[in-house]
Amino acid sequence: MSEQDTAGRSPVNNKRMTYLEFLDESPMTKWLWLLVCGMCLAQLLDGLDFQATSFALPGIIREFHLNPAQAGGVASTSNLGVMVGTIFSPMLCSRIGRKVIFQWVLLTYAVGTLISSVAPNMQILLIARFVAGLGIGSQFPIVASILAEFSPT
């Protein structure tokens, strides 16, 4: 057989690409830009949640008649949820998959934040802040791994 196959085309390059080589040679499509912007927006909203809690804390103190130690518990509970979520979400992602876990994480974060906004007492508020913290903490490693996977090196 000559330099051209029977259809008149040049022979196909049989070199196999690795996944990283494929990503590096792929252009940034609209879908990838949407993915990057969506992940960045999710991270931005996490920061907004912590900032909103800080601004709302004086009103929460007045509403629930909290002392300084109890007020500190509101912010600390969120941080405890962040710690637990950050530790356990990578294991869940490995078993179930990042896409499914990320969807549950966003739902957890949204539900926790919604319940925080309408909490009738301190106990419900603490539970809601922990749940929101779980969602926020779980989101950090998931977003980092998704962006690292789809970003060219």
Side-chain angles (χ1 to χ4, degrees):
M1 189 181 265
S2 68
E3 284 294 314
Q4 295 185 346
D5 65 4
T6 56
R9 296 179 298 228
S10 353
V12 177
N13 184 359
N14 289 331
K15 179 184 177 244
R16 295 185 57 91
M17 295 176 81
T18 67
Y19 182 69
L20 292 176
E21 290 171 338
F22 174 75
L23 284 177
D24 285 342
E25 292 183 19
S26 298
M28 282 294 286
T29 62
K30 288 180 184 179
W31 184 86
L32 288 176
W33 279 113
L34 181 64
L35 178 73
V36 168
C37 291
M39 296 291 154
C40 291
L41 179 64
Q43 295 293 80
L44 181 71
L45 290 176
D46 289 347
L48 180 66
D49 180 73
F50 279 108
Q51 194 68 26
T53 302
S54 299
F55 287 134
L57 202 53
I60 293 170
I61 291 170
R62 282 192 305 275
E63 179 73 25
F64 296 130
H65 309 290
L66 304 178
N67 63 39
Q70 292 171 319
V74 173
S76 298
T77 303
S78 295
N79 289 331
L80 182 63
V82 167
M83 181 186 72
V84 172
T86 303
I87 291 171
F88 291 108
S89 68
M91 290 183 285
L92 289 173
C93 288
S94 294
R95 290 185 182 172
I96 299 171
R98 282 191 304 258
K99 182 178 177 182
V100 172
I101 296 299
F102 188 65
Q103 291 169 347
W104 279 103
V105 161
L106 290 179
L107 182 64
T108 302
Y109 166 61
V111 167
T113 305
L114 177 67
I115 293 172
S116 294
S117 69
V118 296
N121 57 43
M122 178 68 171
Q123 292 76 22
I124 300 296
L125 178 63
L126 290 176
I127 292 168
R129 293 309 308 152
F130 180 79
V131 169
L134 276 175
I136 292 169
S138 298
Q139 183 181 317
F140 291 148
I142 295 170
V143 167
S145 65
I146 289 173
L147 289 178
E149 181 178 343
F150 285 100
S151 298
T153 56

